[in-house]
């Protein structure tokens, strides 16, 4: 039986129980009383014994009524047994269906339990890996902080070295400029001496010859 059919059947049974069960006893009693009244009316209309004259001869009628009521009760009991048998077959079918559902759900529960166990194992592994990564991340953060501090120190040292190098280069450039200026002045002085030397040389030579002739 499919799940939706079982659900609909259960809903119908519940509706019948809520609507009919409170009045089931009243309906059955009323039906029995109506049947007995109908039998009594028939027996009174058609007396079973000839020569029946009135109420004083009602004993055979009562016996006949009792017999008919017993037959009616037996018929009702037979129908009740048939109904109960059909209900029993239905309950057995529903029980088998419920048993099959229990077996299926048990299998699904076992599969889900295995899957849950596998997921728990995987989760434990992920948690362990996450813990290791967290520790590694914390170590890397500490290392990065240390490297940043060292980088700051190195940057300061670099700036200091660069400043000193620039100062040394500036002083060296000043020394070179002074040296170049001195060299330039020396070359100018040497040039002036050379030019003065060349201008004074003929006059000195003439004076020397005159002195030699006078002697």
């Amino acid at each position: 039986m499919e799940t939706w059919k079982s659900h609909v059947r259960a809903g119908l049974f519940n509706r019948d129980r809520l609507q009919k069960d409170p009045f089931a006893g009243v309906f059955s009693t009323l039906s029995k009383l109506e049947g007995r009244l109908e039998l009594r009316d028939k027996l009174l209309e058609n007396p079973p014994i000839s020569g029946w004259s009135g109420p004083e001869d009602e004993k055979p009628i009562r016996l006949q009524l009792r017999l008919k009521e017993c037959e009616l009760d037996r018929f009702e009991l037979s129908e009740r047994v048939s109904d109960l048998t059909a209900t029993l077959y239905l309950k057995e079918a529903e029980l088998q269906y419920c048993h099959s559902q229990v077996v299926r759900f048990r299998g699904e529960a076992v599969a889900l339990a295995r899957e849950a166990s596998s997921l728990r194992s995987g989760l434990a592994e992920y948690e362990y890996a996450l813990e290791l990564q967290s520790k590694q991340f914390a170590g890397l953060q500490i290392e990065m902080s240390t490297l940043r501090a060292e980088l700051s120190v190195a940057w300061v040292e670099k700036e200091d070295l660069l400043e000193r190098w620039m100062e040394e280069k500036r002083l060296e450039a000043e020394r070179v400029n002074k040296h170049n200026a001195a060299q330039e002045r020396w070359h100018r002085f040497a040039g002036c001496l050379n030019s003065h030397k060349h201008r004074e040389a003929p006059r000195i030579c003439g004076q020397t010859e005159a002195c030699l002739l006078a002697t």
Side-chain angles (χ1 to χ4, degrees):
M1 185 180 294
E2 298 181 3
T3 305
W4 68 271
K5 291 182 179 179
S6 177
H7 180 71
V8 171
R9 183 183 294 275
L12 292 175
F13 285 161
N14 189 26
R15 185 200 64 183
D16 292 341
R17 182 179 61 81
L18 294 176
Q19 293 181 357
K20 293 182 179 180
D21 286 352
F23 307 100
V26 176
F27 290 151
S28 60
T29 304
L30 179 61
S31 178
K32 289 181 179 180
L33 291 175
E34 289 178 349
R36 290 177 180 178
L37 181 60
E38 185 178 356
L39 285 175
R40 185 178 179 86
D41 292 340
K42 287 182 178 179
L43 289 175
L44 290 175
E45 291 176 358
N46 300 314
I49 301 174
S50 59
W52 179 74
S53 58
E56 62 275 6
D57 294 329
E58 284 185 358
K59 189 174 181 179
I61 296 176
R62 290 179 180 176
L63 292 176
Q64 189 71 16
L65 180 61
R66 184 61 180 168
L67 179 61
K68 293 293 183 179
E69 289 177 352
C70 290
E71 291 178 355
L72 183 59
D73 291 339
R74 185 178 62 181
F75 179 74
E76 290 178 353
L77 288 175
S78 177
E79 287 185 348
R80 182 63 177 168
V81 169
S82 299
D83 293 338
L84 291 175
T85 303
T87 303
L88 180 62
Y89 289 153
L90 180 61
K91 293 297 182 181
E92 288 180 353
E94 291 181 353
L95 182 62
Q96 291 178 359
Y97 172 74
C98 292
H99 180 70
S100 64
Q101 291 293 100
V102 168
V103 173
R104 183 172 67 87
F105 291 149
R106 185 178 298 169
E108 292 179 356
V110 171
L112 290 174
R114 292 177 180 174
E115 185 177 358
S117 177
S118 177
L119 290 174
R120 280 194 294 269
S121 301
L123 181 61
E125 294 177 358
Y126 287 135
E127 288 178 348
Y128 179 71
L130 181 61
E131 184 178 359
L132 290 179
Q133 291 179 357
S134 299
K135 292 180 179 179
Q136 293 176 358
F137 181 70
L140 290 175
Q141 282 184 332
I142 295 173
E143 185 177 357
M144 185 173 66
S145 299
T146 305
L147 290 175
R148 283 179 177 176
E150 293 177 355
L151 180 62
S152 299
V153 174
W155 184 265
V156 173
E157 292 178 354
K158 171 182 170 294
E159 292 294 331
D160 188 18
L161 288 173
L162 181 61
E163 185 177 354
R164 285 188 291 173
W165 181 79
M166 294 294 291
E167 183 65 22
E168 290 178 357
K169 290 299 181 182
R170 186 180 64 80
L171 295 175
E172 184 178 357
E174 289 180 355
R175 288 195 299 270
V176 171
N177 291 332
K178 290 180 180 180
H179 177 72
N180 290 334
Q183 288 290 332
E184 186 177 357
R185 287 195 302 272
W186 171 254
H187 285 304
R188 284 199 304 270
F189 181 72
C192 290
L193 287 177
N194 288 331
S195 62
H196 184 69
K197 179 180 179 181
H198 289 299
R199 286 196 302 271
E200 293 292 332
R203 185 172 63 79
I204 294 172
C205 291
Q207 290 178 357
T208 303
E209 290 179 355
C211 289
L212 290 174
L213 289 175
T215 58

